[in-house]
Amino acid sequence: MAIYFGGKSWGAVAQHEFRRMARDARNINHYRVQYAAIGWADRHGHASFQAGELAAILADKNGKPLSKQSTTGAVSRAKALDLVSPQSSAACLVLSSHLFQKEKGAPVPCRVHKDRR
């Protein structure tokens, strides 16, 4: 699979750095959702999480996981700002192919969207 962004220029990211930024409580939560989506995305742009895992990643500065309501709110705000796809949820963050493509790596089945692939 070749990476193609419609003839537009593109660059690469270090996913481990986006994972670090997602865990950094100094960042705004809706951006941390996008960072998590990029950091954990498989080659299809899906980042799948176990129950409570995204809340733990988005923990506050004291290490306390976000509440379910706050996690859902952060994902909703990220969707409203087009930082992640409208298909996204706390269980599976989705990036559109015009924002993210990955040439290698096995896809991780996303429990929420696996039937849509």
Side-chain angles (χ1 to χ4, degrees), residues 1-16:
M1 174 180 106
I3 295 175
Y4 181 71
F5 286 101
K8 309 232 187 236
S9 62
W10 61 277
V13 300
Q15 283 186 288
H16 68 274

Side-chain angles (χ1 to χ4, degrees), residues 29-97:
N29 285 343
H30 51 270
Y31 288 114
R32 293 173 69 194
V33 167
Q34 182 188 43
Y35 301 156
I38 295 168
W40 279 274
D42 66 14
R43 71 176 192 227
H44 296 291
H46 288 237
S48 185
F49 300 97
Q50 298 294 321
E53 186 177 9
L54 184 59
I57 290 167
L58 302 176
D60 66 18
K61 64 183 178 183
N62 297 316
K64 181 181 176 193
L66 288 188
S67 67
K68 185 175 182 178
Q69 181 178 5
S70 293
T71 303
T72 300
V75 172
S76 294
R77 182 72 177 140
K79 292 190 311 188
L81 292 171
D82 296 322
L83 300 173
V84 295
S85 167
Q87 299 175 20
S88 296
S89 68
C92 185
L93 299 174
V94 181
L95 296 166
S96 70
S97 62

